[in-house]
Amino acid sequence: MGKDYYDILGVSETASEGEIKKAFRTLAKKYHPDRNKGNKEAEARFKEISEAYNTLSDPKKKAEYDQLRKYGAFTGAGPGAGGFGNADFEQFFRQGSGGQGGFQTFNFGGGVDGLEDILSSLFGGGMGGMGGMGGRGRRRTAGFGPGTQGFGGGFGRRAANQPRKGANAKAGVTVSFWEAIEGATRKIRNTRTGKTYQVKIPAGIENGGKVRLAGQGSPGQFGGQNGDLIITVKVMPDQNFERKGNDVYTSVKVSFKEAILGAKKEVKTLTKTVSLNIPAGTQPCAVLRLKGLGLSVGGNAGDVYVRIDVAIPTTLTDKQRQLLEDWEE
């Protein structure tokens, strides 16, 4: 049989956020395992009302639950329609709510903000210390919460309610080649909560590099640390430069005459313009190195590699043609 979360909390389908929270507080206080030692029915009831609140207090989860419930998946009155039956909505939601496909926005996985705060205010300490009123040495209860599978076998198992770090959240940002070289700041938004973050992109970051915002992921459980927000940086290509580690690759065009006789050509690097000596007889696609003029990250300066593109003339004067024809190799 499916679960009717409204019936479990004793609220109507039109109940406000405040009414849902109030109902949960009342029931949590009544059925909390610390007040019902050894009562398996109270333990199961407490887990059930926590699961119900975890869904109905989250607008997105609630909307998806209501949609499924509309088609009979979670009616509690009999076998669910469409084959859901005894469905676990929390597991269904986690599988169906992956991160956004694009950059600059993201969704957290994990539980509902505020559930731990409510329980903490009711029982005098975080979820990591709910063994006894205020955590004064009484036997601890096994854990529950977003992402867990219930109470882990009952009371007395310390491992079940040890502090657990929350899951990491993931996001992505796109920056230009020069923003990656010089550093930049990006704003990203959590599409579920609406919260925005200022992300500092460090100078010298490479394509695929990561930026970590500590403690900005999913909430920890039982007093554990929050997870982190890990941001993957996508660097757009530049038309003049290519980067490989701290080395930078570019090119310069020289004429047929310059390649044969040699010349001086101005070449732009990341920080300045330098004069490059083109030796006489330089071959097309030859690569010359400007040592130490690449990117400097961590005190290690790379080099600039300059590919020589020789422009072969497409038309010749009669004199030029005659000179080439008289040329003896």
Side-chain angles (χ1 to χ4, degrees), residues 27 61 63 99 133 143 177 228 237 257 260 265 284 312 326:
L27 292 171
K61 287 186 181 183
M133 303 293 287
F177 177 87
D228 300 331
K257 178 181 176 180
I260 293 174
K265 299 293 288 187
I312 305 296
D326 292 342

Side-chain angles (χ1 to χ4, degrees), residues 252-304:
V252 65
K253 282 189 176 182
V254 301
S255 69
F256 180 64
K257 178 181 176 180
E258 288 171 329
I260 293 174
L261 300 179
K264 295 277 189 181
K265 299 293 288 187
E266 287 191 343
V267 176
K268 289 184 178 180
T269 69
L270 296 180
T271 58
K272 59 183 179 180
T273 300
V274 299
S275 180
L276 176 66
N277 181 48
I278 310 295
T282 295
Q283 300 298 305
C285 298
V287 176
L288 303 179
R289 183 177 69 157
L290 294 171
K291 187 175 181 180
L293 294 182
L295 186 65
S296 180
V297 177
N300 298 317
D303 301 326
V304 173

Side-chain angles (χ1 to χ4, degrees), residues 103-104 171-176 179-181 184 186 199-202 204-212 230-236:
F103 288 97
Q104 322 306 118
V173 295
T174 302
V175 298
S176 70
E179 286 175 321
I181 295 296
R186 276 287 185 276
V199 182
K200 185 176 181 180
I201 309 298
I205 195 167
E206 295 191 64
N207 184 47
K210 311 288 185 184
V211 176
R212 181 183 296 265
I230 300 174
I231 301 154
T232 300
V233 179
K234 178 180 180 181
V235 180
M236 299 299 290

Side-chain angles (χ1 to χ4, degrees), residues 6 17 43 50 62 93 120 130 137 196 253 261 274 307 317 325:
Y6 294 102
E17 182 180 344
E43 175 185 334
S50 299
K62 183 176 183 296
F93 180 83
S120 178
M130 294 200 317
T196 59
K253 282 189 176 182
L261 300 179
V274 299
R307 186 187 67 207
T317 66
E325 289 176 352

Side-chain angles (χ1 to χ4, degrees), residues 64-297:
E64 294 192 19
Y65 172 77
D66 287 343
Q67 186 68 17
L68 293 170
R69 187 172 180 271
K70 178 180 178 181
Y71 294 101
F74 301 101
T75 62
F84 285 97
N86 195 29
D88 177 354
F89 179 72
E90 282 294 305
Q91 184 64 28
F92 173 85
F93 180 83
R94 285 194 296 273
Q95 291 176 352
S97 62
Q100 301 297 306
F103 288 97
Q104 322 306 118
T105 60
F106 68 98
N107 276 319
F108 281 118
V112 174
D113 296 337
L115 175 59
E116 295 180 23
D117 292 338
I118 291 175
L119 292 172
S120 178
S121 67
L122 286 175
F123 299 102
M127 292 176 69
M130 294 200 317
M133 303 293 287
R136 297 195 204 110
R138 287 191 182 183
R139 179 176 56 182
R140 293 188 177 186
T141 61
F144 79 96
T148 65
Q149 299 299 317
F151 282 81
F155 299 106
R157 293 189 180 182
R158 290 182 60 88
N161 62 351
Q162 291 299 306
R164 302 177 190 173
K165 184 176 181 179
N168 291 334
K170 296 181 180 180
V173 295
T174 302
V175 298
S176 70
F177 177 87
W178 284 104
E179 286 175 321
I181 295 296
E182 299 170 352
T185 300
R186 276 287 185 276
K187 222 180 239 189
I188 63 173
R189 181 172 61 88
N190 183 331
T191 55
R192 182 172 70 80
T193 66
K195 186 175 181 180
T196 59
Y197 300 84
Q198 288 278 359
V199 182
K200 185 176 181 180
I201 309 298
I205 195 167
E206 295 191 64
N207 184 47
K210 311 288 185 184
V211 176
R212 181 183 296 265
L213 298 185
Q216 298 301 323
S218 297
Q221 298 178 37
F222 311 109
Q225 296 179 340
N226 289 350
D228 300 331
L229 172 56
I230 300 174
I231 301 154
T232 300
V233 179
K234 178 180 180 181
V235 180
M236 299 299 290
D238 185 82
Q239 61 180 355
N240 297 316
F241 296 100
E242 180 183 358
R243 177 184 173 190
K244 294 181 181 179
N246 286 357
D247 295 329
V248 177
Y249 293 76
T250 187
S251 63
V252 65
K253 282 189 176 182
V254 301
S255 69
F256 180 64
K257 178 181 176 180
E258 288 171 329
I260 293 174
L261 300 179
K264 295 277 189 181
K265 299 293 288 187
E266 287 191 343
V267 176
K268 289 184 178 180
T269 69
L270 296 180
T271 58
K272 59 183 179 180
T273 300
V274 299
S275 180
L276 176 66
N277 181 48
I278 310 295
T282 295
Q283 300 298 305
C285 298
V287 176
L288 303 179
R289 183 177 69 157
L290 294 171
K291 187 175 181 180
L293 294 182
L295 186 65
S296 180
V297 177

